[in-house]
Amino acid sequence: MPTLTIDGREITVEPGTRIIEAADRLGIDIPRFCYHPGLPVAGNCRMCLVDTNRSPKPVASCWDPCQDGHVVVTNSPRVLEARRAVLEYILLNHPVDCPICDQAGECDLQDLYFAHDHQPSRHPFHKHHKDKARVLGPQIIYDAERCINCTRCIRVCEEVAKAPQLVQVQRGERAYIDVFPGTQLDHPYSMCTADVCPVGALTTRDFRFKCRAWLTHGIQTVCGECSRGCGIRADVYRNAVQRLVPRHNPDVNQYWACDAGRLAYHRFETGRVSAVRIGGAAADYAKGVRDVAEALPGADARGVVVVLTPWMTCEDVGAVVAAVRSAAPGATFAVGGAAPGIQDDILVRADKNPNRNGVAKVLADLGVTPVALDAVLSQAPSLGALIVCGAEQAKAEALAGALAAVPLSIVLAALEGPLTAAARFVFPTTSPYEADGTWVNESGVTQRVRRAVEPVGDAKGFEVWASDLADRLGTPLAARDRAIGGNP
Amino acid sequence: MTLTFVLLTLAKILGFILVFCVILAAILTWVERKMSSIIQDRIGPNRAEILGFRAFGLFHPIADMIKSFTKEEFVPAGASKTLFFLAPAFALVPTLCAFAVVPFGPGDLVISNLDSGMLFVFAIMGFGIYGVTLGGWASASNFAMLGALRGAAQMVSYEVSMGLNVVGIFAVFGSVSLTAIVGAQGHLLWGWLPMWGIVVQPLGFVLFLVAAMAENKRAPFDLPEGESEIIGYFVEYSAMGFATFMLSEFLEVIVIACIAATLFFGGWQIPWLDPTGTAGGWITVAQVAFFAFKVLFLCWFQMLIRWTVPRFRYDQVMSLGWKVLLPLSLANILATAVVLALVV
Amino acid sequence: MVKVKVVERPPADLVVQSWLPELWKGMKVSGRHFFVNLLTQKGIVTSQYPEVKRAYPPRFRGKHRLMRREDGSVRCVACFMCSTACPADCISIVAGQRDDENEKFPVTFEVDFIKCVFCGMCEEACPCDAIRLDSGVHRAPAYTRKEELNGKEDLLSLGSLSVARQGGEFK
């Protein structure tokens, strides 16, 4: 176990640890471009040079492993001068088009320039011009002038996505990143190349020119597109999600997220249910809850069935079960959910529901044994009431038919669809970016979902609806049935 | 009473009151605005135009008149309607009546040569208080009522000293008839100094002017009305009701100027020229014109004071009236009596 | 400790209390203004507004305008610097892509004059000399809020050619 000193502070690390990792653990900031903790080391940018007692000249701290008795200095005049020179060299042909660059505001080059170089260009000649706005794939646009050839994107494709689609061509100042002729950057993790890009060379088409990075504020939440539950950050500006970016979660997704999950927020931009509808006509939310509270107890004799969705948070499930049971003690519960889809061995899971684990756990805790959905569908015409939660139902058409046959049909959904068309009572609910609560992913990791934007119209969380319903029934939910989160 | 007398009197009323005084009052509204503006380094009203002629804003009184006639006459809910409409008339009519005894020129150039002259003026001006109190009371508005109370108290207070101020004049000239007083001012003191009221009663003139301006409720004594902030007794009036109050206010300016010119500036007398007023011809015309000049000068002087002096506080108004003007008036009478007793 | 200077009231002697000398002084002032302005109009400061308009000072900040390049296109590259700098948050931009080397341009560029405080921060922030407040045009009142929302066309109609190097001189 080598023990070394960095800027006068001692640390003992496992053999093979790089100096930059040890410095990160100590909280000592060493500037870097090509080094990324989730990627193999390339050591080509030379930004992370540090002085050591084992070498006559500065060494790249991302490459040099820690040795016993190493004395590392990260801020000696020689190191600072080396950084300044490296930055000046990198910036030689950089177009400095920050005003139109989407990376501005979160650009490593920008930040490090102001921290370490901070001088006008001494380059008297014309800058070398290269391709701008080159389309590499369906999600990625490449600006060769801004590129500093750190090759992080190439390593992402090779190491994370296992799809070596990018390559560096040419040499020296002419070098740039490209796809192989006749192919394009189209693997399902292609947007991660834009994440790791330290400058604005690779930008996503989704976020390109949409909003400036500094205008957004990031909400740390969880992706719901599959049962993996990747940690994501929703960047919000003017009450709209502008983009989703992965956040580091070593237990779930490391640094990465798939393209499909990052574009999922577009699903909730149109086709939202925004107002309560009773029999097709828009109605007041309070009236809708009152009508349901009046009709529900009477339906218990013929049977009340609630179809839950694994998109609900754990708190939602608890509250809905408690509220419905207080109106109809004999109610039974089924769990629906979105249809399974593709799966890969990186992140994407086949189960396209984020909280199947959590729903099952809450139901077990509450002593509810869910019935099979098919059984519900077959006995639908004889039921007194059918409540369907969530629009993400694989058997939506069959459920819609069942809803049409039931005297009291209630749908709580965020999106319009066959279910909302068939039901008598339609209540708007929150999208995953408006919801607040807890999800449990497929491997049992419990994660907090946070509200990023305000709900549209009358949309309310399932839990709030259930709570209002229970209040109206005269049996308010106990504190343990309510969420810790604080839904609208 | 012959027909000639009636026609002649009607002609005099028409000539002196309607043509001279009312039109002068209308013009005074323009003078007031124009004067305030140029004292304050502004231009003042100059936008009303007829066929492109602006005439220094002289058409503004006409525009104001048309506006007053055509505006809605608003009566507040709960107001006593009859009194509400009567009040402006109570303010206007006494003021017009006061002109009856003012000698506009020598001889018959006075509407009614009453022996009681100045006493009649006091009597009739005392009615002006009804306009104020009725206007304030009939409006059914607390603010108007408070304004009317302030106005009534102020007018009653200053009427006392105004009356006492001219007692000195009566004593010196030995009459209360305005015609006689004017005639007496044709005498010369020591053979060269015209014996005008201001010469023999300088303190009396200052006190009279102060009391008269307070009586008229204009700045610096505009507490009953205080148009800029402390709204007063005609706050609920609009259109012609308001215009009538304003007109009577300007007419009072002229009344005060007329009385002051008559009592203290020799009326129609031109110094050293035809003191008996019997010359006739162009000299009479000159005398009438000179009287008009004196009236205009005093109107201008009152306005200059109005745009110079800030408003008094109410306690100041009251203590000025009772504690300063009244003792000084009494002292003035005493001094006059002593001097008369010694000299005559 | 705050230093307090007590200013004594001047004694209210009989001369002051009699009011007359002070009144005379005041009458002299207002009388002087009256006669000077009546005869010469020297002191009058009024300008006859609709007919005579005062020249705006050279640094007057009026309505915004968007400047043009030599080819007539808008200089703005939709960098959002102005809307970031704006303390009133009155500038809304939607960026789009163009095919020349300037790459980015505003598809819409709206200034909400209801919100705008005409501080000029947007002008200061602009790296492209694209937005200016030197149009000399007053923001006119409007009947609806929508009229106060001035779009790109309105702002360009006030604009003119600017040949400043984009990004400014960098020595």
Side-chain angles (χ1 to χ4, degrees), chain B residues 35 38-39 41-43 46-47 54 206 300-301 304-305 307-309 312, chain C residues 19 23 26-27 30-31 33-35 37-38 43-46 48 50-51:
Chain B
M35 204 169 143
I38 61 174
I39 284 173
D41 290 350
R42 295 181 287 116
I43 291 177
N46 65 348
R47 291 282 146 174
R54 287 184 167 174
V206 173
W300 173 83
F301 190 73
L304 194 64
I305 291 177
W307 290 111
T308 301
V309 186
F312 286 105
Chain C
W19 257 76
L23 181 68
M27 301 269 283
S30 46
H33 279 262
F34 177 77
F35 284 112
N37 290 332
L38 184 70
I44 286 176
V45 294
T46 315
Q48 293 288 309
E51 295 91 7

Side-chain angles (χ1 to χ4, degrees), chain A residues 99-100 132 208 212 214 238, chain C residues 79-80 84 89 92 97 103:
Chain A
I100 60 168
K132 291 185 86 77
R208 186 174 164 85
R212 302 317 300 261
W214 60 82
R238 291 192 172 167
Chain C
C79 69
F80 286 63
T84 303
D89 196 17
S92 304
Q97 181 161 356
E103 206 170 339

Side-chain angles (χ1 to χ4, degrees), chain A residues 172-196:
Chain A
E173 66 165 26
R174 287 180 177 75
Y176 64 96
I177 306 292
D178 206 351
V179 289
F180 293 99
T183 66
Q184 54 177 353
L185 179 62
D186 56 359
H187 61 73
Y189 297 88
S190 65
M191 286 163 88
C192 290
T193 57
D195 291 338
V196 298

Side-chain angles (χ1 to χ4, degrees), chain A residues 97-102 113 119-121 132-133 141 143 146 208-212 214-215 237-238, chain C residues 77-81 83-84 89 91-98 101-104 127-128 170-171:
Chain A
D97 54 352
C98 304
I100 60 168
C101 176
D102 280 314
Y113 166 79
Q119 61 174 354
S121 173
K132 291 185 86 77
I141 289 176
D143 187 312
R146 296 178 192 151
R208 186 174 164 85
F209 296 171
K210 197 168 170 186
C211 182
R212 302 317 300 261
W214 60 82
L215 294 174
Y237 176 59
R238 291 192 172 167
Chain C
V77 296
C79 69
F80 286 63
M81 292 294 163
S83 75
T84 303
D89 196 17
I91 303 176
S92 304
I93 306 169
V94 174
Q97 181 161 356
R98 44 189 281 168
E101 78 278 7
N102 292 307
E103 206 170 339
K104 201 175 172 188
C128 296
F170 203 45
K171 270 188 184 161

Side-chain angles (χ1 to χ4, degrees), chain B residues 156-202:
Chain B
V156 167
S157 308
Y158 279 85
E159 216 152 76
V160 176
S161 38
M162 189 162 91
L164 290 174
N165 284 330
V166 289
V167 169
I169 289 283
F170 299 156
V172 171
F173 298 120
S175 173
V176 293
S177 159
L178 290 177
T179 319
I181 289 174
V182 174
Q185 290 183 72
H187 297 298
L188 297 177
L189 276 178
W190 306 297
W192 60 273
L193 184 61
M195 204 170 95
W196 283 6
I198 192 165
V199 176
V200 292
Q201 288 281 316

Side-chain angles (χ1 to χ4, degrees), chain C:
Chain C
M1 195 55 197
V2 182
K3 266 183 111 176
V4 178
K5 187 186 175 193
V6 179
V7 180
E8 294 290 335
R9 275 176 178 275
D13 56 13
L14 204 63
V15 176
V16 173
Q17 290 226 316
S18 76
W19 257 76
L20 294 177
E22 299 301 315
L23 181 68
W24 175 246
K25 276 189 210 164
M27 301 269 283
K28 270 203 304 197
V29 172
S30 46
R32 187 176 68 237
H33 279 262
F34 177 77
F35 284 112
V36 166
N37 290 332
L38 184 70
L39 301 175
T40 67
Q41 302 219 324
K42 234 185 234 166
I44 286 176
V45 294
T46 315
S47 61
Q48 293 288 309
Y49 169 62
E51 295 91 7
V52 183
K53 291 197 169 103
R54 289 179 86 146
Y56 286 129
R59 288 165 61 181
F60 171 76
R61 294 192 293 266
K63 276 173 98 162
H64 306 246
R65 59 186 190 139
L66 285 174
M67 307 301 284
R68 294 171 187 275
R69 299 197 183 92
E70 275 111 325
D71 63 0
S73 63
V74 61
R75 284 179 71 87
C76 175
V77 296
C79 69
F80 286 63
M81 292 294 163
C82 48
S83 75
T84 303
C86 181
D89 196 17
C90 72
I91 303 176
S92 304
I93 306 169
V94 174
Q97 181 161 356
R98 44 189 281 168
D99 292 330
D100 60 8
E101 78 278 7
N102 292 307
E103 206 170 339
K104 201 175 172 188
F105 80 107
V107 179
T108 68
F109 192 108
E110 280 183 341
V111 178
D112 189 345
F113 284 124
I114 285 184
K115 293 183 188 167
C116 181
V117 295
F118 298 93
C119 62
M121 292 288 178
C122 48
E123 196 178 23
E124 296 267 334
C126 185
C128 296
D129 187 32
I131 190 166
R132 288 195 194 171
L133 276 76
D134 61 354
S135 63
V137 181
H138 246 108
R139 172 216 147 180
Y143 287 101
T144 61
R145 279 163 188 259
K146 207 155 176 66
E147 283 173 64
E148 293 281 27
L149 215 59
N150 273 36
K152 191 172 125 188
E153 301 308 315
D154 305 314
L155 301 174
L156 268 174
S157 68
L158 292 171
S160 59
L161 176 74
S162 166
V163 292
R165 215 187 97 190
Q166 293 223 298
E169 289 298 327
F170 203 45
K171 270 188 184 161

Side-chain angles (χ1 to χ4, degrees), chain B residues 30-182:
Chain B
W30 171 82
V31 172
E32 168 119 319
R33 296 169 70 185
K34 211 66 180 171
M35 204 169 143
S36 72
S37 65
I38 61 174
I39 284 173
Q40 294 161 3
D41 290 350
R42 295 181 287 116
I43 291 177
N46 65 348
R47 291 282 146 174
E49 60 174 46
I50 295 176
L51 300 175
F53 290 103
R54 287 184 167 174
F56 310 108
L58 261 173
F59 297 133
H60 274 269
I62 299 174
D64 288 343
M65 199 170 68
I66 295 170
K67 186 182 99 170
S68 301
F69 274 119
T70 50
K71 257 182 101 162
E72 182 194 355
E73 192 78 57
F74 181 79
V75 183
S80 165
K81 232 178 174 177
T82 320
L83 291 178
F84 189 78
F85 284 118
L86 267 180
F90 267 103
L92 180 66
V93 170
T95 319
L96 286 173
C97 287
F99 287 109
V101 293
V102 174
F104 289 87
D108 275 344
L109 291 176
V110 51
I111 295 165
S112 170
N113 186 6
L114 282 183
D115 286 341
S116 53
M118 196 58 209
L119 297 183
F120 171 79
V121 172
F122 283 133
I124 205 81
M125 293 289 277
F127 276 105
I129 235 172
Y130 283 106
V132 175
T133 45
L134 286 181
W137 185 79
S139 298
S141 156
N142 291 341
F143 294 110
M145 189 66 218
L146 287 171
L149 287 177
R150 288 198 301 271
Q154 179 178 323
M155 288 171 81
V156 167
S157 308
Y158 279 85
E159 216 152 76
V160 176
S161 38
M162 189 162 91
L164 290 174
N165 284 330
V166 289
V167 169
I169 289 283
F170 299 156
V172 171
F173 298 120
S175 173
V176 293
S177 159
L178 290 177
T179 319
I181 289 174
V182 174

